[in-house]
Amino acid sequence: MRAVITVIGHDTVGILHKVSGICAKNNANVIEVSQSVLQDVFAMFMLVDISVLDCGFATLSEQLAQLGKDLGLSIHAMHEDIFNSMHRI
């Protein structure tokens, strides 16, 4: 089972480290990362394996959302199936 994590906001040092730290703490394995900085706007997409999470997916999602609030970023996590359904034509 996999999930997609998106991060958007003002670029600062350590965003990738902090997001991946929450994933590691909960045993979510980062499979792929794509990030870009356009002027001072940071955008990142992560694909993570959540098949052996140490917590519920809702807990992981809440922790990431709280990190986003703390850093002034928009951080969202969703199951890959939902992400794919939303983007299927």
Side-chain angles (χ1 to χ4, degrees), residues 21-79:
I22 289 176
C23 290
K25 181 179 86 173
N26 291 292
N27 206 33
N29 186 38
V30 176
I31 299 168
E32 281 189 59
V33 176
S34 176
Q35 67 180 32
S36 182
V37 179
L38 303 170
Q39 294 183 14
D40 66 344
V41 178
F42 178 88
M44 179 172 69
F45 299 92
M46 299 177 86
L47 184 62
V48 297
D49 181 347
I50 58 170
S51 59
V52 290
L53 277 179
D54 290 341
C55 64
F57 179 72
T59 300
L60 175 67
S61 183
E62 289 168 10
Q63 290 176 6
L64 291 166
Q66 184 59 53
L67 175 65
K69 288 179 186 175
D70 295 345
L71 299 177
L73 301 168
S74 172
I75 302 179
H76 297 284
M78 69 175 68
H79 282 276

Side-chain angles (χ1 to χ4, degrees), residues 73-86:
L73 301 168
S74 172
I75 302 179
H76 297 284
M78 69 175 68
H79 282 276
E80 181 183 35
D81 292 342
I82 294 171
F83 181 86
N84 288 336
S85 293
M86 288 175 54

